[in-house]
Amino acid sequence: MRGEVLIVLSFFLVALSAYFQNSGGGLSLALLLVAFFVLLAGVRELNRSRPSKRAGDAHLILGILLPILLFLNYGNPLYLLAGAFLIPAFFWKSEKAVLLLVPAGLLMGWLAMGENSSVARFVGAFLIAVSIVVGTASLYFWLRYR
């Protein structure tokens, strides 16, 4: 229960960060960084506790909603293309799902880096970094065990 509360708190902090974005940027960036640390603490708490049935499919719902919400917010249809990569990857029960997740993360990160919002640019840089790390690690382990 504590992990879910921390994750909801992180979403609230991201909303506050987006609200204060036009007021100078310092408070917005500080709130965003605090939100990511709270999100990581919530995820850590969820991973340490016994997984609940309610939170079991939350990543599927959020992963499918993210490109749709980005498309509705920014109006760029390339977000839906990234979503087309994400949907089969979330339901594919194989380690080869990374083949779809990495291009989706790179595309969404690249698109978010081009937006005016500092929150979107920060999230875009995070998505690009994670996609590069996951893609490189997957390629390394695939080549190592072949």
Side-chain angles (χ1 to χ4, degrees), residues 19 41 59 63 90 132:
Y19 178 75
H59 68 283
F90 283 137
I132 289 171

Side-chain angles (χ1 to χ4, degrees), residues 65-80:
L65 285 179
L66 179 64
I68 294 170
L69 291 175
L70 287 171
F71 168 71
L72 292 175
N73 191 30
Y74 296 114
N76 192 340
L78 290 175
Y79 285 116
L80 294 177

Side-chain angles (χ1 to χ4, degrees), residues 62-140:
L62 291 174
I64 292 170
L65 285 179
L66 179 64
I68 294 170
L69 291 175
L70 287 171
F71 168 71
L72 292 175
N73 191 30
Y74 296 114
N76 192 340
L78 290 175
Y79 285 116
L80 294 177
L81 177 65
F85 283 113
L86 285 176
I87 292 170
F90 283 137
F91 294 107
W92 196 0
K93 301 291 185 194
S94 171
E95 65 274 357
K96 293 181 180 121
V98 173
L99 296 173
L100 295 173
L101 289 175
V102 170
L106 289 172
L107 180 62
M108 286 178 53
W110 174 68
L111 290 171
M113 289 287 291
E115 303 297 343
N116 292 332
S117 168
S118 62
V119 173
R121 287 193 307 260
F122 183 79
V123 170
F126 180 75
L127 280 172
I128 288 173
V130 167
S131 296
I132 289 171
V133 168
V134 168
T136 305
S138 298
L139 183 63
Y140 169 76

Side-chain angles (χ1 to χ4, degrees), residues 25-92:
L27 179 62
S28 175
L29 184 59
L31 283 170
L32 184 64
L33 292 174
V34 169
F36 275 111
F37 285 122
V38 170
L39 178 66
L40 290 175
V43 168
R44 182 175 180 262
E45 187 67 31
L46 279 178
N47 286 337
R48 293 182 79 204
S49 66
R50 185 175 52 90
S52 66
K53 182 66 177 159
R54 288 180 301 147
D57 293 333
H59 68 283
L60 296 174
I61 295 167
L62 291 174
I64 292 170
L65 285 179
L66 179 64
I68 294 170
L69 291 175
L70 287 171
F71 168 71
L72 292 175
N73 191 30
Y74 296 114
N76 192 340
L78 290 175
Y79 285 116
L80 294 177
L81 177 65
F85 283 113
L86 285 176
I87 292 170
F90 283 137
F91 294 107
W92 196 0

